Amino acid sequence: MASVMEDPTLERHFKGHKDAVTCADFNPNRKQLASGSLDKNLMIWNLAPKARAFQFVGHQDVITGVQFSPSGNLVASSSKDRTVRLWTPSMKGESTVFKAHTAAVRSVAFSHDGQRLVTASDDKSVKVWSVHRQCFIYSLNQHTNWVRCARFSPDGRIIASCGDDRTVRLWDTSTKHCINCLTDCGGSATFVDFNSSGTCIASSGADSTLKIWDLRTNKLIQHYRVHSAGINSFSFHPSNNYVISGSNDGTIKILDLLEGRLIYTLHGHKGAVITVAFSRAGDVFASGGADSQVLLWKTNFDSRSYQDVLLQHSRRSTPDPPPHLSDIHPRGPHLHHPQPTAIQVSPAVKDTRSTEPHVIQLGQSVHGNMLLNSWPRLTPMQSAAANSHHYNGLPACHVANSRLDGWIEGGSASRAESTAENETRANRKEGKGRREEEVEMSQTHPLEVLSGHPSSVSSTLRHIVQQLDILTQTVSVLEERLTLTEDKLKECLTHQSQILKDLRASRTRRRTESEGTDESSVHST
């Protein structure tokens, strides 16, 4: 916590992904940050300055979600390759694969006791898994379109999910029934999460809105439209007083929920901001975007009241008018439009702490041509030895740990084999000195993951994948239009049935009136 109130500041940037960053999460131990990307790789960044970064290879398609377990000893990742993986965030680089979804998996999250996982998928289902038994448990199947996100409540009794059917659904984990369906979404619901106390949920949408519901009253209590494009992700501050959101408009917004207003707009990414996440303590937050960067921000704004923020910035920003009571304790939904006087922060930092970290590639490589420039290719004997290695029943990475340690310290395996028979003590000393020098170099200079020249086959496959992505997007648009058409058709049918009911009622009324007239005429005669 900052003792003196300051703007949010950009602390570090992490460069290592080769494509857009889609998801990020902090280790509860405050020492690591995980991120996933369109480049199919999971990165574990060590937050200590000059520390190594780990690159985990194994997914065969875009990584869509990532989260550390509550204990921090596991990392779960979801992917469009229809699988979920559990990784050990260490040098072993091991992972176990969960398979049950029949389409792309969009999100993954741990329960707060770390015993279960919940996933959301394009197969229109939400699935729950056992972490300890490493198996699928049950499925929730009432969404009518792709499910974008699913999260456990803090007490684990409720699951919230949202998707392209424009609904947010709440599920009872004991009965497996949908206990509430919130249909106030104006477009596809992209993200959903609980606040830390579990009393509220928020959802964001492609219609650029962020909505907050009170679960105790089942009412929409706050409705923000501060972005100019769809919101991809948001995160509650642990105090529940703030929310950060990332959008396709390229900005990060910070909302003060007590005051019911936008307080900061951050400009740090070039292009869409796809993911944002607070650390467990709330002192820092991360953002990832289409520019392939992960940015680490220092919070600073949570140590003093919002009135102090306005007072400090009164010279360079006109404060918004004070909130009315219903904004703080709303009695119904209130739409919050963007305030042009919100404090704009465009960091132009001299980031001396972010020498690009030494990247170590772990796990099974999907593309055979992706190797570190200081790593040798495995011989058939090394590959067989690595493939036969297991750890606690989980498939190990296809690199033997003894070889891995040797490579990290600077010795090439091929060089070690060629000189093993003739190596003298003097050479060992020289090698040790060289290794120490290389380790020192690795702490101050970046080590990039290199990819070989793609063959004609791989370029053709890449083109096919791109065309399939375009087809998938087209199908998504067509499905959304079909949903709109169905909604309109339902409205027309409902309206038509109401008209028919009114006609029948009027005919019955006329018949009754005519019969009454006939009876009165008979009596008069």
Side-chain angles (χ1 to χ4, degrees), residues 12 46 98 101 112 175 286 337-339 395 432 488 504 508 517:
R12 295 179 64 183
N46 288 300
F98 293 58
H101 283 293
H112 283 243
T175 65
H337 291 284
Q339 300 287 348
K432 182 178 180 182
K488 292 292 184 184
R504 288 169 185 167
T508 304
T517 304

Side-chain angles (χ1 to χ4, degrees), residues 5-16:
M5 181 66 196
E6 298 175 352
D7 294 338
T9 53
L10 179 59
E11 288 285 289
R12 295 179 64 183
H13 64 266
F14 298 99
K15 294 182 179 179

Side-chain angles (χ1 to χ4, degrees), residues 36-47:
S37 168
L38 293 182
D39 64 12
K40 309 174 188 178
N41 296 326
L42 171 70
M43 298 290 296
I44 304 291
W45 311 94
N46 288 300
L47 300 183

